[in-house]
Amino acid sequence: SLGLTRMELESYRYENIFSSAENSRVTLNALVTEFPDVRETNTRLIVKPKNMNGHLLVITDLYPAFRYGDEISISGIVKLIKNFSADTTGGSHFDYKEYLGKDGIFQEMLYPKISAVSSGNGNPLLQKLFAFREMFSDKLRQNIREPEASLGLGMLIGEKHSLPKALLDEFKRAGIIHLVVLSGYNIALVSQFFTK
């Protein structure tokens, strides 16, 4: 019960970060705290506004591209994250708000005006790991054609969003979508289990 109480208090605290600015335009500086989630038509950035608790989901265009550790200036309308309706998820219910809430993300900005302030502000070790991940993805794409390259990236590093929607639907229909979301670490654990 103590854990549940703490979770509720944290949720309330984070939900009220921008309560006074809800549905109004704000300008703030923020740090990109996660590897950018690049999709077919947009990029999703998890950012931490300076001098504030909690995080903000920023959905923006593919270009200009931002990286982990970039400090950016954002100007846009802050909205509370809402759940998808059953119509948009094919009749199933997905609690999107709680899914993001577990990471302290309760607000979003859709296609705000963004400008770069500085780069290299993140954890140096994570920056090196993310740079290696990008280099690995680029090399794989250069040497293997699509959709095989995207499938390989999904299986090795869990990058499933680069797969075409039609192919993802085929995997779901065949009941093998779990193959795409396996990370390289999971594969290493399974292979280690079978070699011993």
Side-chain angles (χ1 to χ4, degrees):
S1 56
L2 286 174
L4 287 171
T5 304
R6 182 180 180 277
M7 190 177 84
E8 285 299 315
L9 290 173
E10 287 295 299
S11 169
Y12 177 78
R13 184 164 66 100
Y14 286 140
E15 281 183 7
N16 286 282
I17 294 171
F18 296 109
S19 58
S20 59
E22 193 79 31
N23 293 319
S24 61
R25 183 167 293 277
V26 296
T27 301
L28 50 88
N29 279 16
L31 189 68
V32 179
T33 59
E34 300 288 332
F35 190 80
D37 181 2
V38 180
R39 303 196 175 189
E40 278 187 280
T41 58
N42 59 43
T43 300
R44 292 163 185 254
L45 302 172
I46 306 296
V47 301
K48 184 181 185 313
K50 284 194 145 193
N51 305 318
M52 291 185 182
N53 292 320
H55 292 79
L56 185 66
L57 171 65
V58 176
I59 299 175
T60 184
D61 294 315
L62 294 171
Y63 299 100
F66 296 101
R67 290 192 162 96
Y68 166 80
D70 286 353
E71 183 181 337
I72 55 178
S73 175
I74 318 167
S75 179
I77 296 173
V78 176
K79 295 189 177 215
L80 194 65
I81 290 174
K82 293 183 171 48
N83 285 326
F84 298 121
S85 69
D87 297 339
T88 60
T89 57
S92 62
H93 176 72
F94 176 61
D95 199 340
Y96 187 59
K97 184 177 175 183
E98 285 299 315
Y99 172 73
L100 292 176
K102 71 180 173 26
D103 297 320
I105 305 166
F106 294 95
Q107 284 87 14
E108 65 183 353
M109 270 190 188
L110 303 176
Y111 299 96
K113 182 179 176 187
I114 304 178
S115 58
V117 176
S118 65
S119 61
N121 301 298
N123 179 315
L125 177 62
L126 281 179
Q127 282 182 290
K128 286 188 184 344
L129 288 172
F130 288 147
F132 176 76
R133 176 182 169 163
E134 274 185 69
M135 183 193 70
F136 178 77
S137 296
D138 291 343
K139 292 289 182 191
L140 194 74
R141 288 185 195 285
Q142 288 170 10
N143 293 296
I144 300 175
R145 64 179 178 202
E146 291 295 344
E148 288 84 358
S150 292
L151 178 60
L153 289 171
M155 293 177 74
L156 294 171
I157 60 175
E159 195 177 292
K160 70 175 190 284
H161 298 298
S162 56
L163 277 170
K165 186 178 183 318
L167 187 59
L168 278 175
D169 290 342
E170 288 296 322
F171 279 121
K172 287 176 187 171
R173 198 174 358 263
I176 56 172
I177 189 67
H178 60 280
L179 293 176
V180 182
V181 296
L182 285 177
S183 68
Y185 179 71
N186 290 342
I187 291 173
L189 284 176
V190 172
S191 62
Q192 191 77 9
F193 173 81
F194 284 110
T195 56
K196 290 195 174 192

